[in-house]
Amino acid sequence: MQARHRRSRTALLATLTTTTAVTALVAGVLAWPGAERAAAAPAAFAHPGVTVSQGQLDFARAKVAAGAQPWKSAFDQMMASKYADLNRTPKPRATVECGPYSDPNYGCTDEREDAIAAYTDALAWYITRDERYAKKSIALMDAWSGTLKSHTNSNAPLQTGWAGSSWPKAAEIIKYTYSGGWANEGRFRTLLRDVYLAEVINGSHSNGNWELSMMEAAVGISVFLEDRASYDKAMATFRTRTAAYVYLPTDGALPRTVPGQNLDTKAKIVAYWQGQSTFVAGLTQETCRDFTHTGYGISAISHIAETSRIQGQDLYGTDVGERLRQALGFQARYELGEAPPGWLCGGSVTRGLGPVTEVGYNALHTRLGTAMSNTQKLTEQQRPAGSNNLFVAWETLTHAENPS
């Protein structure tokens, strides 16, 4: 039934000539069908279960202990970073104010980096069993949970998504693997629910990387809080946005859209896709903006898909996995230096994808056996993948060739 519906939709699109018809098609058909009704939460949440599982942590720990590469060099890179510094002083504030491109920057960098540090320390604890790192992770989380009340200014939703993606990864490892106690865990849970989840759960109509990062935070926080309703809502939004962020030919002549954005004409869609009017598999809504922002979106897709798999719903065999595979391969091709054709972004792309390929590449290549030559070359070339200092950190350590 679905396949017949897709063929008829494509045929219909080819015959449309009026703005009214295009409007009807875009508004009524191209949105993800039924995503808002999807029930995704497991009957019982798996812990630790945000982006990295117990099995994956054990695999990485064993590889580091054996001195195996690339995991040992990735671990050494992490431990030598500022994020693993046991003398780090947290810099919480009651209000974090982030304007466009974090200008003004009142606590934005401090918050994101303290969150990454908490996750870094949690990983360091798990691999070394040196409880100083667990205590440092807890101290960072406690400092912010005892201070932060709100995020303000135009970048508040994105800032909340970025920091809110790292905090639950740290909290999951500490709560479920450290037996030394965490007296203020309840306060941290309240922070995640009231300050972070409340800000991100309803999504964004900005560029796609915003909503994808916000849903990464919402999904991760929902796992830690064991909030099935919020998990389901965030996953439904994620499915809709992913389908509207990465183009596949099965979408038709135009990319899918997100309800409520009013992208009801071809001209509006092309403008939203940075002026790109030729659509091919793996092109993203922000490819022609720059690869850095595109990398944010791809990374969030892979993180959410990985969390979903850990929680029992494997999305890699769905359109999410296919969109991720195509997006990684398409961007990797040009990130590696191939000159873009004239029809792509006017013949010029702005590279800088970032350390964002390990999770998706591992899922699709290591576990599923999918050949991904460009993505493989880029991934191996970038190892060990470090941090983008926003919400991505140490993924060669946690996900390189990890079958768990």
Side-chain angles (χ1 to χ4, degrees):
M1 180 67 71
Q2 180 63 26
R4 290 197 296 272
H5 177 63
R6 184 175 293 130
R7 285 196 297 271
S8 65
R9 177 171 57 202
T10 304
L12 174 61
L13 183 58
T15 65
L16 292 173
T17 57
T18 68
T19 299
T20 300
V22 173
T23 299
L25 182 67
V26 171
V29 180
L30 294 187
W32 181 260
E36 70 282 0
R37 297 190 298 274
F45 285 98
H47 303 288
V50 178
T51 308
V52 61
S53 68
Q54 181 87 51
Q56 289 170 320
L57 289 168
D58 288 340
F59 175 88
R61 183 169 186 249
K63 289 295 187 181
V64 172
Q69 299 296 353
W71 305 274
K72 181 59 166 63
S73 62
F75 173 73
D76 291 343
Q77 175 194 46
M78 180 183 80
M79 296 304 289
S81 75
K82 62 184 178 182
Y83 297 115
D85 184 359
L86 288 170
N87 294 314
R88 183 182 189 87
T89 300
K91 299 178 181 178
R93 60 173 65 208
T95 300
V96 172
E97 181 178 355
C98 306
Y101 297 94
S102 294
D103 183 15
N105 182 339
Y106 299 131
C108 314
T109 301
D110 293 337
E111 179 190 25
R112 294 193 303 265
E113 294 193 350
D114 276 351
I116 292 173
Y119 175 53
T120 300
D121 289 327
L123 287 174
W125 143 253
Y126 195 89
I127 291 173
T128 68
R129 290 304 196 268
D130 182 339
E131 70 172 356
R132 293 179 300 165
Y133 290 102
K135 290 178 178 178
K136 190 63 179 181
S137 182
I138 290 170
L140 289 161
M141 290 188 280
D142 285 353
W144 282 89
S145 70
T147 307
L148 182 63
K149 300 300 180 185
S150 66
H151 297 86
T152 64
N153 214 320
S154 60
N155 260 32
L158 182 60
Q159 171 72 18
T160 310
W162 281 343
S165 295
S166 296
W167 289 127
K169 289 192 289 188
E172 281 280 299
I173 294 172
I174 295 300
K175 177 176 173 61
Y176 292 100
T177 72
Y178 176 61
S179 61
W182 181 8
N184 291 313
E185 180 203 337
R187 189 176 74 189
F188 188 73
R189 294 171 67 87
T190 298
L191 173 77
L192 291 184
R193 180 178 296 283
D194 294 351
V195 178
Y196 289 92
L197 187 60
E199 177 73 30
V200 299
I201 191 62
N202 292 318
S204 166
H205 284 161
S206 185
N207 282 300
N209 82 86
W210 278 51
E211 188 161 80
L212 289 166
S213 289
M214 292 165 70
M215 290 310 105
E216 179 183 346
V219 166
I221 290 168
S222 295
V223 170
F224 185 66
L225 298 179
E226 298 197 325
D227 182 339
R228 301 183 79 254
S230 293
Y231 186 93
D232 285 350
K233 182 175 181 178
M235 287 299 299
T237 301
F238 163 69
R239 295 292 295 270
T240 300
R241 175 60 75 171
T242 298
Y245 192 70
V246 182
Y247 177 80
L248 292 179
T250 50
D251 296 334
L254 295 174
R256 294 179 184 269
T257 64
V258 173
Q261 284 193 289
N262 299 314
L263 298 177
D264 52 8
T265 68
K266 180 178 180 179
K268 288 181 181 180
I269 293 173
V270 169
Y272 186 61
W273 281 62
Q274 320 297 324
Q276 179 69 16
S277 58
T278 300
F279 303 103
V280 298
L283 182 79
T284 80
Q285 182 256 313
E286 296 184 276
T287 296
C288 293
R289 179 186 185 186
D290 58 62
F291 279 20
T292 301
H293 286 89
T294 297
Y296 300 163
I298 291 173
S299 180
I301 291 171
S302 68
H303 291 168
I304 296 171
E306 193 72 352
T307 296
S308 179
R309 183 190 68 87
I310 294 166
Q311 298 305 328
Q313 185 179 55
D314 195 334
L315 298 178
Y316 291 114
T318 72
D319 84 298
V320 170
E322 179 62 10
R323 292 179 197 278
L324 179 59
R325 181 180 76 86
Q326 294 286 356
L328 284 167
F330 186 82
Q331 266 63 221
R333 176 179 176 183
Y334 299 107
E335 182 72 14
L336 287 166
E338 182 174 327
W343 57 263
L344 177 61
C345 312
S348 176
V349 295
T350 302
R351 296 176 176 86
L353 194 63
V356 302
T357 63
E358 287 279 17
V359 175
Y361 174 70
N362 182 64
L364 296 164
H365 177 76
T366 303
R367 287 201 300 263
L368 297 181
T370 305
M372 302 172 69
S373 57
N374 286 325
T375 305
Q376 179 174 359
K377 183 177 180 181
L378 180 61
T379 301
E380 293 176 350
Q381 180 177 293
Q382 290 184 330
R383 285 176 176 166
S387 175
N388 70 353
N389 303 311
L390 299 172
F391 69 103
V392 177
W394 324 126
E395 293 179 352
T396 296
L397 174 63
T398 57
H399 287 81
E401 301 172 34
N402 195 324
S404 298

